[in-house]
Amino acid sequence: MTTKEKNTQITLNVEGMTCASCVMHVEAALKEVPGVADAQVNLATEKVKVEFDPAHTTARDLAEAVDDSGYKAVLDKTAMNIGGMTCASCVAHVEDALNELEGVMSATVNLATEKATVEYLAGSLVWEDFRDIVADAGYSAEPVSEEGAGDQAEVDRLARTGQIKALRNRLLVAAGLGIIIFMGSFKEWFPWMPSFLQNWYVLWALATPVQFWAGAQFYQGAWGAAKHRTTNMNTLIAMGTSTAYIYSALATLFPDLFTTQAAEATVYFDTAAIIVSLILLGRFLEARAKGQTSEAIRKLMGLRPKTARVVRDDQEIDIPLIEVVVDDVVVVRPGERIPVDGELVDGSSAVDESMLTGESMPVEKTIGSPVYGATINKTGSFRFRTIKVGRDTTLSQIIRLVEEAQGSKAAIQRLADVVSSYFVPAVIAIASITFVVWLIFGPDPALTFALLNFVAVLIIACPCALGLATPTAIMVGTGKGAENGILIRNAEALERAYKIQVVVLDKTGTLTKGTPVVTDIVAADGRTEDDLLTLAASAERSSEHPLGEAIVSTAQERGLSLEDTTEFQALPGHGVQANVNGFSVTLGNLAFIESQGLPLNGMEKKALELSTQGKTPVFVTVDQQVSGIIAVADTLRTDAREAVQSMQKLGLEVIMLTGDNRRTAEAIAGEAGIDRVLAEVLPDQKAAQVRALQNEGKMVAMVGDGINDAPALVQADVGIAIGTGTDVAMEAADVTLMRGDLQGVTHAIALSKATIRTIKQNLFWAFFYNTALIPVAAGVLYLLFSDGSVPSGLRYVLGDYGFLNPVLAAAAMALSSVTVVTNSIRLRQFKVKRT
């Protein structure tokens, strides 16, 4: 074969190319990669066709070469539903198969959601490539609906109705025939059974459809793994049940070969059939339980109304939701769900936004107020103009975020997957050793006991519980968070939140309301409060400074009439000046007033007192005379102190971060109950402050508004955006709190602790179960009961010599998976305390 024939071709989409020089740079960068034979760039289509030898380089190398040259290899992402997975080793097989495709950058498979998420070089692969490679691995792949989370087909997938129905049908057949085979096999227990049902050939005939139809999925999965020279849970089940079935078939055909002086030949069709039935029962119960782990997603999906009432050609008409477009005017009546996101243009109402925020109190809406799809209009009728529709709505973003979180993997899950991938081969080795040991040293009939112990070890050690321990808990935990307005980006964030030691709270908009308000008016020079406020607000009405806006807003709330101004002048860093109704009015800080040489008339003492309280004193002068002080402050949130106390009760150190001067910062911090303050920190220094805390060896959570604090949110081990729900917040933060109160920080960390605690419980029981019962299945109890002294009540379980009945091994294995999933579902009882 020539070198040319060994090469493969791949097409990359490249961003950032603007001219022929760019083309040369990209081609040159790619040709420098070892193994690349040729690279041809098309500037018009922004595509690069690369011919390379896969033995010397990979698609990842090509993408890195493009990125290093200053351009960007475009990545795409796709999701697919995977059928046929049963355990963690299946996850590894599907991931390995997908990663074999040239162009795939990463592949993540989640056993609980039965979904694979693949990131690949855009343009390099098509859907059929993914489908075929998964099928070749012994599984099935179906694309997730383009309509996304809201599509009914996706809802059905999450509910697993098709899978549950198929499992139920196979289970009913297997269980019905298995019971008949079982009773026919023990004529001493069921002497009333017709004699023909006790015939071995009849039992063989009844066991065959159970083994090869009801149990077909085990063989399919085992064969798919075998083609890739690996093993999985299906391998164990197929080997175990086939061993019992084939032994029994041979004993039926050639009974003399299996007859010894100690015992006559016997068959174990009942063992094979009952094992298949019990494992199918476990999978059936597991599938139903796993469906419940997606309850939160299904609830969110079900909130979206099917139609919307829009105004077109001056008429109100009902149209399907999918036909609503941006800038439509939508009419909403009392009691109806708002169909999409928008802004009120007519009317007013109170809207229940609990599905987004977890807050039960309705939110007042007036003209200009934002409204969100799937929230409920409580009182008045109104019209709004649509801003976001379809996949762009807040609800769709939330569903997408939660689905991505549920499909992601925590480090602890990756560890379990790795352990499981080695576990199956180890079990086969242990089972083989068990067979040999009992065949040589076991009591007569040694072959029978060796066979049964071999089957028991294979069946009881199936690692399905290990594979389900983490993803089911992650699914329930992230879903429960979404129900309460806590959006968790991924499993890693949930896991890191569990370890948080320090919570850094940005002051403005996080600890405080974020909007300055007038707190004190101190009038002097014979003026009243209203006189002073009227002059000050009139001078500030042309200012865009937040302090000025607070003064104007307070005057308007008091119903004061503002005067026209002339000669307005903003004094950056100092204040404003203007002529108001013939008076020269100045508003400024203490330093500015002193620089003007104006007498303070003893007001400096009051200013110092206000500053100590965390307020900003604004001096007001009229015709060069200090006429009073207006104090403005960004007041503390009503829930701030209680929220800080809740965090401290969790053992967290709480730190306030602000750009304010230290005196003001310490006043606010003292009011909130915070001991440590990082003050006078410029916006571009916030990330450095977080990094400094991390350098102290602490796990840090940063809580901010998700926009101004984006660098610090990214730097922190866990970034928490509070009260925003914007695209920027979701991108920058690991956790977004839709409700917008500080208690959500405590709830998010408490939810993380509850979820990780559940994962650890699941993993403990899964590992404990697998490691503790393998010795029992291998026959270690023979050391206690070698004289045949097993109590009569335990003889069906342990036989005469302490050997575990393979049927009971199957029952225990099935029960372990159901137990793990059920324990995860308990997280749905997690309660968020509302104040």
Side-chain angles (χ1 to χ4, degrees), residues 779-826:
V780 71
L781 294 181
Y782 178 75
L783 300 175
L784 297 177
F785 303 117
S786 58
D787 58 355
S789 60
V790 173
S792 58
L794 294 176
R795 286 188 180 273
Y796 181 71
V797 178
L798 299 176
D800 293 329
Y801 299 103
F803 297 134
L804 182 66
N805 188 324
V807 169
L808 273 299
M813 187 277 289
L815 182 62
S816 69
S817 297
V818 176
T819 300
V820 162
V821 178
T822 304
N823 189 47
S824 295
I825 291 173
R826 288 193 310 111

Side-chain angles (χ1 to χ4, degrees), residues 504 657 686-695 700 702 712 715-716:
V504 178
L657 179 67
K686 290 182 177 181
Q689 292 290 336
V690 172
R691 192 181 305 113
L693 291 170
Q694 291 170 324
N695 290 338
V700 180
M702 172 69 195
Q715 175 62 43

Side-chain angles (χ1 to χ4, degrees), residues 138-179:
Y139 305 89
S140 63
E142 295 179 0
V144 174
S145 168
E146 287 298 319
E147 289 297 317
D151 189 85
Q152 187 60 44
E154 185 70 351
V155 180
D156 291 341
R157 183 197 68 79
L158 288 168
R160 292 177 171 83
T161 52
Q163 177 189 8
I164 291 172
K165 183 177 179 180
L167 279 171
R168 182 196 62 196
N169 293 340
R170 291 180 184 271
L171 171 61
L172 290 175
V173 172
L177 294 176
I179 291 172

Side-chain angles (χ1 to χ4, degrees), residues 298-349:
R298 292 203 301 278
K299 284 182 179 178
L300 289 172
M301 291 175 181
L303 294 176
R304 202 191 319 265
K306 304 297 182 187
T307 61
R309 185 176 297 108
V310 301
V311 178
R312 294 196 177 161
D313 298 327
D314 296 326
Q315 290 186 335
E316 295 182 10
I317 58 173
D318 289 333
I319 62 173
L321 188 64
I322 197 172
E323 295 180 12
V324 178
V325 297
V326 174
D327 285 335
D328 266 340
V329 174
V330 180
V331 181
V332 183
R333 295 171 182 169
E336 293 181 340
R337 286 194 182 275
I338 297 168
V340 294
D341 295 2
E343 183 179 283
L344 254 71
V345 295
D346 181 46
S348 61
S349 185

